Amino acid sequence: MTDLREFTFAETDLDAVAGAEGRVAVFIDSAGKLGRGARRLNRLTKGAVARAVADEGWAKKPAGSVVSLSYPSGMEAEAVDIVKLERRPDVADARKAGAAIAKTAGSRPVTVLGESQIGLEQAVLGLALRGYTFTDHKSDKGTALAPAHVFCSKPTEIEAAVAPMLAVAGGVFFTRDLVSEPANVLTTTEFAARLEGLRELGVEVEVIDEDRMEELGMGALLCVGQGSVSPSKLVIMRWKGGEGAPLALVGKGVVFDTGGISLKPAGGMEDMTMDMGGAGVVSGVMKALALRKAKANVTGLVGLVENMPSGNAVRPGDVVTSMKGDTIEVINTDAEGRLVLSDVLWYAQEFETPAAMVDLATLTGACIVALGHENAAVYSNDERFAAGFLKAAETEGEGAWRMPLGKAYDDMLKSPIADMKNVGGRPGGSITAAQFLKRFVKDEMPWIHLDIAGVASLKSESTFAPKGATGWGVMALDRLVREGFESKEG
């Protein structure tokens, strides 16, 4: 498990700055105006801070740019990092500035002269999010992250504001860890065991095995995993922090996807360890809600399977029966995620009676073709619910784009021998996948489907994460809960 960097908050002690180890970071705006802490650093560095920001290029640098003064005389620190940030920044810029500090500091100790900087709590969140590396399977695991010391004018207030943010960051790290794990480690059984560990935080966790799912008629989910020696599982996580019907979060948890009998090409198949990304996000949200003691009722449900080819694997042309009772002609066994989700969505409505549902899945390559790696695809049957999520995603800086649904797309799923087929052809592949799922959502149920194939894991680093798992969606869904499902009392 990857731990967050430890943070301490204290009133500004300029005498301690000279003896600080590691790196010292200070915020300076585009005008180059030095605050009290920056002036002290300037004296310690014999005017080097002022000279660094007096250059006309400083004002043109984007927020979060860093100018480093290495081995400053008069200080123990190995460097002073001057971070560009306006006095009254927006949330995105404040987080970028914090992420820049984290990237520059690496695992070394860092002292942040926050003083009375507006948005300091957001900068701390950015620093926390960017301080992530997954080294569980390296012989040299590197050095653990050293603490970050934040000096500011109101440490008690800043620490209180940061606490729930760090809880959400803890959920993001949990998601990243799950998505980063190789499939021989994160089997369906191990995944379920890690989720059972959330009981320590007050989450109710129930694990349903294959025998019970067979009794329930979950033939769509079970057919996906029948070719694997890893048993399929349905894990239900309940955070009961509020009143009323819960929000249901449903995640696709395909711990590895070979494509089944419709075998994927060898090139890039190793990336399919992240095909449980939807379940990973649901798990991260549940941990975040528990860590910050959210005053809301939220139920997370994840279908855990492995899609493997074998003598017992489901075949193209097979017809399976879903928990709903609808029959499905399996045209392509590599369109397996929607089969898993269909049964979990139906189970959620039948047994958890939610107020609304959101499902997440690394579902289609077509989503990446349409939106690249900048946005998740958003589908919904409820305008208000969709607008609430899109606002939450925008607030948290997580890209999301609304996509269409319609009868013409739904008609592409017609089968001559069953109630539907599991694919609708190449055109509009992400949309027809969403249309398939919509068939398992009751008419009165507000529902959002998030296709996160392009955003769950990246080939290059992003502002807040190194190359690999991003944890996309944890912050947006936590915000959705805050704004739409959490009690405002107390």
Side-chain angles (χ1 to χ4, degrees):
M1 182 178 71
T2 306
D3 294 322
L4 290 174
R5 187 190 295 269
E6 180 184 346
F7 289 87
T8 61
F9 300 85
E11 291 187 7
T12 304
D13 180 359
L14 296 178
D15 291 333
V17 174
E21 297 180 351
R23 305 182 78 92
V24 174
V26 63
F27 302 112
I28 298 181
D29 65 14
S30 57
K33 183 178 180 180
L34 305 188
R36 180 166 167 257
R39 289 196 298 271
R40 177 61 187 272
L41 285 178
N42 192 49
R43 288 196 297 273
L44 289 171
T45 60
K46 296 180 171 54
V49 171
R51 289 193 298 273
V53 298
D55 184 279
E56 62 181 14
W58 175 257
K60 299 178 181 179
K61 290 181 181 294
S65 296
V66 178
V67 173
S68 297
L69 306 176
S70 298
Y71 302 102
S73 60
M75 298 181 66
E76 293 294 326
E78 66 182 65
V80 169
D81 296 318
I82 305 168
V83 184
K84 172 78 175 293
L85 188 64
E86 299 304 327
R87 184 74 185 89
R88 296 179 178 275
D90 61 24
V91 169
D93 284 348
R95 290 181 181 178
K96 287 178 184 176
I101 294 171
K103 184 176 179 181
T104 303
S107 62
R108 291 162 294 205
V110 58
T111 298
V112 180
L113 290 179
E115 299 190 272
S116 57
Q117 172 69 50
I118 294 172
L120 179 58
E121 68 280 3
Q122 299 292 346
V124 171
L125 175 60
L127 202 167
L129 288 171
R130 190 59 178 82
Y132 178 86
T133 54
F134 186 75
T135 60
D136 285 10
H137 305 294
K138 287 181 175 288
S139 299
D140 180 5
K141 298 185 185 301
T143 305
L145 289 176
H149 305 287
V150 181
F151 287 135
C152 53
S153 58
K154 297 180 179 180
T156 302
E157 292 183 14
I158 294 297
E159 186 171 10
V162 165
M165 295 181 178
L166 294 182
V168 177
V172 172
F173 274 33
F174 188 46
T175 296
R176 290 177 183 174
D177 278 355
L178 290 170
V179 174
S180 298
E181 286 284 15
N184 64 320
V185 174
L186 194 73
T187 62
T188 55
T189 300
E190 173 63 17
F191 200 153
R194 294 194 188 188
L195 299 186
E196 287 182 291
L198 294 177
R199 289 173 180 151
E200 296 177 3
L201 300 177
V203 179
E204 292 183 7
V205 183
E206 178 184 359
V207 181
I208 295 178
D209 61 18
E210 289 182 336
D211 289 343
R212 176 57 179 153
M213 285 190 282
E214 189 171 351
E215 291 174 2
L216 292 167
M218 301 178 77
L221 184 154
L222 288 171
C223 84
V224 176
Q226 71 187 43
S228 172
V229 296
S230 291
S232 298
K233 297 178 183 291
L234 171 61
V235 181
I236 304 155
M237 299 162 278
R238 302 180 183 92
W239 174 253
K240 297 180 178 179
E243 302 292 335
L247 169 67
L249 304 177
V250 175
K252 169 190 171 184
V254 180
V255 296
F256 193 77
D257 181 21
T258 66
I261 298 299
S262 304
L263 194 66
K264 292 178 180 290
M269 194 191 291
E270 68 276 8
D271 293 335
M272 288 299 100
T273 56
M274 51 75 72
D275 209 23
M276 37 58 63
V281 174
V282 171
S283 304
V285 174
M286 298 307 296
K287 182 170 184 176
L289 296 175
L291 285 172
R292 70 174 183 83
K293 306 299 181 186
K295 296 179 180 179
N297 283 352
V298 181
T299 300
L301 306 95
V302 295
L304 307 180
V305 302
E306 184 177 37
N307 188 20
M308 298 287 283
S310 77
N312 194 47
V314 66
R315 295 158 292 224
D318 285 359
V319 174
V320 299
T321 303
S322 68
M323 182 181 174
K324 179 186 176 185
D326 288 349
T327 57
I328 304 163
E329 181 187 9
V330 179
I331 301 297
N332 187 335
T333 65
D334 194 23
E336 84 298 332
R338 65 202 70 184
L339 298 173
V340 174
L341 289 173
S342 65
D343 276 346
V344 182
L345 285 167
W346 199 255
Y347 179 96
Q349 293 166 98
E350 290 290 287
F351 288 92
E352 301 297 323
T353 57
M357 295 194 302
V358 181
D359 77 73
L360 301 95
T362 50
L363 205 62
T364 67
C367 177
I368 302 175
V369 173
L371 298 176
H373 298 282
E374 300 301 317
N375 291 285
V378 181
Y379 299 89
S380 182
N381 63 355
D382 186 286
E383 295 300 318
R384 184 176 179 181
F385 192 30
F389 174 78
L390 289 168
K391 181 181 178 181
E394 182 180 14
T395 299
E396 296 299 331
E398 296 192 311
W401 193 261
R402 183 79 183 272
M403 298 283 278
L405 293 166
K407 185 177 183 303
Y409 299 110
D410 194 67
D411 287 344
M412 295 166 68
L413 297 170
K414 290 180 178 179
S415 165
I417 64 170
D419 295 326
M420 69 193 81
K421 55 186 179 180
N422 73 327
V423 292
R426 288 180 61 83
S430 179
I431 305 174
T432 54
Q435 288 289 166
F436 180 93
L437 295 177
K438 187 175 183 292
R439 292 183 175 217
F440 298 88
V441 178
K442 297 180 180 181
D443 291 339
E444 70 277 9
M445 178 61 61
W447 161 75
I448 293 171
H449 162 57
L450 301 175
D451 192 333
I452 63 172
V455 295
S457 183
L458 302 179
K459 293 291 188 181
S460 58
E461 68 176 23
S462 61
T463 301
F464 301 109
K467 173 185 174 181
T470 64
W472 183 101
V474 173
M475 294 194 298
L477 288 169
D478 176 78
R479 174 67 59 179
L480 180 70
V481 172
R482 286 176 182 269
E483 301 296 333
F485 295 89
E486 195 158 358
S487 170
K488 307 301 180 184
E489 298 178 2

